[in-house]
Structures are given as structure tokens and as C-alpha cells.
């Protein structure tokens, strides 16, 4: 299921939950939206350490997520983002920052689990908006 996020709400929501310390291990300051997308693309990897709703991803899913991030046009972020309930950028965020993510889409929670019980980033969305 996809929904269209007006403007940069997807990127704003993720950045709202991340802090300066999250970026220290990469030796970069907390970025703005465009810098964040470029950071994700530069650090893109297959997210084999993240489970989705307690299930490991298949090789095909890992490859498709990797390709989605690699091929994403970073110049398009101000035109909205079609976020999925099985979202490649949330998988990547979970793995890079070693956090769990709970994405509540219209009352249905998708869990991206990195095995960090200490930190959970929570997001809410509907068919037109994504927020922290």
C-alpha cells in the first residue's frame, strides 16, 4: 500500500526522531532533508539485520529495497514521497542507526526491528501525511 506525502513530511518526520548523536558515528552533523537523503544513498546497504513484523526479509526483498534507495531521485523530495508500509528507507534507517521503528499506518503498526529494545522511533501516517 502506498500513499502520497505532501512536500517533505516523510523526511521531516524521520529527522525529527534522529538527533546529533545518531550522526556522530558517521562523523557528520545532523543534516537537512536533502543532505539526509544523500547520506542514506551513500550509506545504502542490504538491511539483513532488520526484521519486519518479526520476519526476516528474503534475498529478493533485500535487493529490491537496496535498489529502491539507490535509484531514488534525491532532487524529488520536495514533490512528496510515496511511502510504503514495507518502506525501504525505514529499513535502512533502522539498520544504520541501530534502532527499532514502529510505523502506525491508519491504525496498523508495522515494526522494523533491529534488536534494540532501548530505542524505538515511532511514526504515524495516513494516505496523505507522515509524522513523528
Amino acid at each position: 500500500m502506498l500513499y502520497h506525502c505532501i512536500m517533505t513530511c516523510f523526511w521531516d518526520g524521520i529527522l525529527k526522531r534522529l538527533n546529533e548523536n545518531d550522526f556522530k558515528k558517521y562523523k557528520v552533523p545532523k543534516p537537512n532533508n536533502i543532505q539526509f537523503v544523500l547520506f542514506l544513498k551513500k550509506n545504502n546497504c542490504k538491511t539483513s539485520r532488520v526484521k519486519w513484523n518479526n520476519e526476516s526479509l528474503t534475498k529478493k526483498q533485500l535487493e529490491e529495497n537496496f535498489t529502491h534507495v539507490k535509484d531514488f531521485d534525491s532532487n524529488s523530495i520536495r514533490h512528496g514521497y510515496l511511502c510504503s508500509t514495507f518502506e525501504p528507507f525505514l529499513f535502512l534507517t533502522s539498520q544504520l542507526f541501530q534502532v527499532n521503528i514502529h510505523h502506525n499506518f491508519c491504525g496498523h503498526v508495522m515494526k522494523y526491528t533491529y534488536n534494540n529494545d532501548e530505542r524505538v522511533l515511532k511514526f504515524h501516517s495516513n494516505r496523505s501525511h507522515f509524522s513523528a
Side-chain angles (χ1 to χ4, degrees), residues 10-11 15 31-43 69 72-75 77 89 92:
F10 180 72
W11 313 108
L15 283 170
N32 63 29
N33 286 331
I34 189 69
Q35 293 166 335
F36 182 56
V37 173
L38 293 172
F39 168 86
L40 291 173
K41 289 174 68 72
K42 178 182 176 184
N43 292 281
V69 172
F72 180 72
D73 180 4
S74 57
N75 294 315
I77 69 166
F89 283 106
L92 186 57

Side-chain angles (χ1 to χ4, degrees), residues 113-128:
T113 307
Y114 183 83
N115 284 334
N116 179 352
D117 294 331
E118 296 177 20
R119 187 145 178 236
V120 177
L121 307 183
K122 294 184 179 181
F123 302 105
H124 299 3
S125 62
N126 57 32
R127 295 181 188 277
S128 63

Side-chain angles (χ1 to χ4, degrees), residues 14-101:
I14 296 172
L15 283 170
K16 184 176 181 179
R17 292 289 182 234
L18 296 173
N19 59 49
E20 294 284 339
N21 287 332
D22 291 317
F23 292 93
K24 279 187 179 178
K25 82 175 195 179
Y26 296 100
K27 298 181 177 150
V28 297
K30 186 173 179 179
N32 63 29
N33 286 331
I34 189 69
Q35 293 166 335
F36 182 56
V37 173
L38 293 172
F39 168 86
L40 291 173
K41 289 174 68 72
K42 178 182 176 184
N43 292 281
N44 190 18
C45 61
K46 293 183 182 170
T47 57
S48 59
R49 299 180 76 185
V50 179
K51 290 185 178 183
W52 185 78
N53 291 337
N54 296 318
E55 292 185 22
S56 297
L57 279 66
T58 66
K59 288 181 181 179
K60 183 175 181 180
Q61 290 168 323
L62 290 167
E63 184 63 38
E64 287 175 353
N65 284 354
F66 178 84
T67 301
H68 176 81
V69 172
K70 178 178 67 78
D71 293 345
F72 180 72
D73 180 4
S74 57
N75 294 315
S76 71
I77 69 166
R78 288 180 176 70
H79 303 292
Y81 177 70
L82 293 175
C83 179
S84 168
T85 54
F86 188 86
E87 178 51 52
F89 283 106
L90 293 182
F91 279 103
L92 186 57
T93 299
S94 179
Q95 182 150 319
L96 291 178
F97 298 103
Q98 300 177 359
V99 296
N100 295 333
I101 294 176

Side-chain angles (χ1 to χ4, degrees), residues 3-6 9 103 105 124-132:
Y3 61 94
H4 184 72
C5 190
I6 300 170
C9 61
H103 175 205
F105 174 73
H124 299 3
S125 62
N126 57 32
R127 295 181 188 277
S128 63
H129 188 65
F130 182 96
S131 64

